[in-house]
Amino acid sequence: MNKKETTKLAQIYLKRCTEILGESKFYPHTPYLSIESSPLADDYDPDTIGEFVSDENEIIIYFKNVKNEEELARTIVHEYVHYLQSPTWLTRYNN
């Protein structure tokens, strides 16, 4: 999927998550959405599709790693669930 198509669909999926799952009680607003080519940090799996960065309240999608629309939708939902979770739990999950 290219960046333009990924961005368009990711925005639709994120909006649907907000409508269906509601907003987090741990963050002041819905997460920002960033579409990037691939993870920059050396300690990341190069095949990572997405991540939720709690410090920034941001969902990042790595469009070059997205194989199809279903994978993108599943990734948005997965990362949105992290946004809904307590930052304390998320810290334990990441460690």
Side-chain angles (χ1 to χ4, degrees):
M1 294 182 65
N2 64 41
K3 185 173 183 176
K4 183 177 180 180
E5 181 181 17
T6 302
T7 300
K8 179 182 174 187
L9 290 172
Q11 289 170 340
I12 291 168
Y13 299 150
L14 182 60
K15 183 178 181 203
R16 290 293 293 149
C17 283
T18 304
E19 293 168 356
I20 294 168
L21 301 173
E23 293 190 26
S24 175
K25 62 182 179 180
F26 304 106
Y27 298 93
H29 52 78
T30 56
Y32 297 107
L33 180 62
S34 179
I35 309 297
E36 299 181 7
S37 60
S38 61
L40 299 176
D42 291 335
D43 59 340
Y44 273 86
D45 178 349
D47 296 325
T48 299
I49 299 166
E51 65 178 312
F52 174 66
V53 182
S54 61
D55 292 343
E56 303 294 327
N57 187 26
E58 176 182 38
I59 292 175
I60 302 173
I61 299 297
Y62 301 108
F63 76 91
K64 288 186 177 180
N65 296 339
V66 176
K67 294 177 185 82
N68 54 51
E69 291 180 29
E70 180 180 347
E71 186 174 66
L72 176 60
R74 288 178 183 272
T75 302
I76 292 284
V77 171
H78 176 89
E79 301 308 335
Y80 195 85
V81 168
H82 286 310
Y83 152 76
L84 294 173
Q85 294 167 330
S86 163
T88 304
W89 184 91
L90 196 56
T91 300
R92 289 193 315 249
Y93 173 82
N94 287 332
N95 292 331

